[in-house]
Amino acid sequence: MGFSRTGSLLEDAIHARVEPAVRALGFRPRVIGYLGYGTTDAARVLARVLLSRPSRSAPNLPAPIDKASRGWRNFMTVHAADLPVKIQVGDALVTAHTNRNGYLDVEFTGHGLPPGRHSAYLQTPEGKVSRADVEIIGDDQRIGLVSDIDDTILITMLPRPLLAFWNSFVRHTSTRKPVPHMAELYTAMRVRRPDLPVFYLSTGAWNTFSVLRRFLAKNGFPDGPLLLTDWGPTQTGWFRSGQEHKRTMLRRLRTRFPHVKWILIGDDGQHDPQIYGEFAAEFPDDVLLIGIRQLTAAQQVLAHGTPDTGPGDRSHPEVCEDEMSAPVDVVTGPDGRALATQILPVLEEHSRPVS
């Protein structure tokens, strides 16, 4: 047995003891529905099944945006592994099993749904039905937005080794502050293209889904699917790679929406310029624009230990251009207002009817 598998085996062994114990206390499966997405041909349904005490409220619905708590409460959960769940999306009906961490990630074909927001219905063996929304994107959509979260739309101001721990476990969920004018930028983009699909791609854990949805709603960001990850150990290592998660999700979006050109927005605090640049180099016809929010000197010190990215740093915006084999516009700015002056004209140009 390799050392890399020790974490997942230990996690499974602990869960094998905890799940029967909490079930004996009366805990029952509860579906947490995430926001999925798809086309008129196929859809992706995302959810997780946790064990909790029976409640009269509708637990699968997002909590009110003014309801806040310490972040660690989102992680004090017990999931239901290998649980059969019936899922219906439009005309499609399947039975899927949760994975070892309680997640459902199911692709559907033949659902027959038109573009717009729809609901998938999930039924546990106990008969309880919950809902997970799905955003169906029309085949005529030609432009989409992918946005990072931490330091792109949400101010962190923490050293990177502490960032994930503090934001997820300690910080009060109502104290998260948005990057100035980024919500206005995304709203202006939606005004110019009301059907613009917006995806939030982050290395954050799925446990923070409800917290992030409340942050987006409270601060005026357009709603859209969150593409998060599971922090638990895998069969190949103790921790998942955040960079690989982003690379995989970008490729998955490209495969699902081959007719869409993407606006990719991130920050120069870590690896966004490199990841976006690599993607644009491999698929130059699928990227309309790359926008990089420039961190302040203080934020760069926390991210790197130095007040600037420097020419040798793989997070420097110039890395985008270095990685690319074909010209794709790369714009930079310290906030949403500065980025808007460069991004909105490009969006308007590509939104004009072809004569």
Side-chain angles (χ1 to χ4, degrees):
M1 179 183 68
F3 178 75
S4 61
R5 293 192 59 199
T6 303
S8 61
L9 292 175
L10 178 62
E11 182 183 48
D12 291 344
I14 293 174
H15 181 265
R17 292 179 176 273
V18 172
E19 181 172 346
V22 298
R23 282 182 177 272
L25 294 174
F27 284 53
R28 294 295 179 264
R30 173 171 64 97
V31 176
I32 306 297
Y34 304 135
L35 177 55
Y37 61 89
T39 65
T40 53
D41 296 323
R44 183 185 181 194
V45 174
L46 301 166
R48 195 183 191 195
V49 182
L50 303 177
L51 297 174
S52 64
R53 295 186 183 278
S55 173
R56 295 182 180 180
S57 63
N60 59 304
L61 299 179
I65 62 174
D66 58 347
K67 182 180 180 181
S69 62
R70 292 290 178 187
W72 62 266
R73 296 181 185 274
N74 298 296
F75 289 81
M76 298 297 101
T77 60
V78 179
H79 60 267
D82 195 31
L83 185 77
V85 178
K86 292 182 179 179
I87 309 173
Q88 182 172 5
V89 183
D91 298 331
L93 176 65
V94 302
T95 296
H97 285 72
T98 58
N99 69 8
R100 52 182 293 272
N101 291 309
Y103 291 99
L104 288 164
D105 186 346
V106 186
E107 292 271 359
F108 282 83
T109 58
H111 54 71
L113 296 174
R117 184 69 59 88
H118 303 276
S119 293
Y121 297 95
L122 302 91
Q123 184 178 37
T124 62
E126 285 79 6
K128 184 174 180 58
V129 177
S130 300
R131 191 188 77 209
D133 289 338
V134 181
E135 187 74 22
I136 301 298
I137 298 171
D139 297 336
D140 58 345
Q141 180 58 251
R142 293 294 178 264
I143 299 177
L145 168 63
V146 174
S147 172
D148 177 48
I149 295 180
D150 287 330
D151 283 327
T152 298
I153 64 173
L154 187 156
I155 296 175
T156 58
M157 286 299 294
L158 286 169
R160 290 294 171 169
L162 298 178
L163 171 61
F165 173 81
W166 185 267
N167 278 340
S168 298
F169 292 94
V170 179
R171 196 173 190 181
H172 206 267
T173 59
S174 64
T175 64
R176 291 170 167 84
K177 302 299 182 184
V179 172
H181 310 297
M182 291 301 289
E184 290 92 329
L185 167 60
Y186 291 4
T187 299
M189 294 172 69
R190 267 277 176 88
V191 168
R192 285 157 176 79
R193 291 190 72 98
D195 56 351
L196 179 77
V198 180
F199 292 86
Y200 297 95
L201 175 57
S202 172
T203 58
W206 279 111
N207 302 65
T208 63
F209 173 82
S210 295
V211 172
L212 292 174
R213 286 290 298 276
R214 290 196 290 273
F215 168 83
L216 294 172
K218 180 179 179 180
N219 292 286
F221 285 92
D223 192 20
L226 276 72
L227 305 179
L228 308 177
T229 187
D230 177 25
W231 279 359
T234 70
Q235 299 293 332
T236 58
W238 283 83
F239 301 101
R240 286 171 168 79
S241 168
Q243 296 180 53
E244 286 308 309
H245 166 67
K246 287 191 171 183
R247 290 187 177 100
T248 299
M249 290 299 103
L250 286 173
R251 288 174 173 271
R252 192 164 185 172
L253 289 174
R254 175 185 176 272
T255 299
R256 177 56 60 204
F257 307 106
H259 50 283
V260 172
K261 291 176 72 73
W262 297 98
I263 296 175
L264 308 176
I265 299 182
D267 64 84
D268 63 0
Q270 284 284 297
H271 304 285
D272 289 343
Q274 179 182 359
I275 294 170
Y276 290 168
E278 291 172 350
F279 183 77
E282 188 171 0
F283 309 109
D285 293 335
D286 299 315
V287 179
L288 178 61
L289 179 75
I290 296 175
I292 300 297
R293 186 234 162 188
Q294 297 168 309
L295 273 62
T296 65
Q299 290 169 336
Q300 290 291 359
V301 168
L302 292 174
H304 301 281
T306 61
D308 55 50
T309 56
D313 196 319
R314 302 305 291 171
S315 67
H316 196 278
E318 292 179 0
V319 171
C320 289
E321 298 170 346
D322 294 341
E323 295 287 349
M324 293 186 296
S325 58
V328 172
D329 288 338
V330 179
V331 301
T332 62
D335 56 29
R337 181 172 293 169
L339 289 172
T341 62
Q342 306 169 79
I343 293 176
L344 295 181
V346 176
L347 184 62
E348 291 171 352
E349 176 66 26
H350 286 79
S351 298
R352 295 172 184 168
V354 178
S355 57

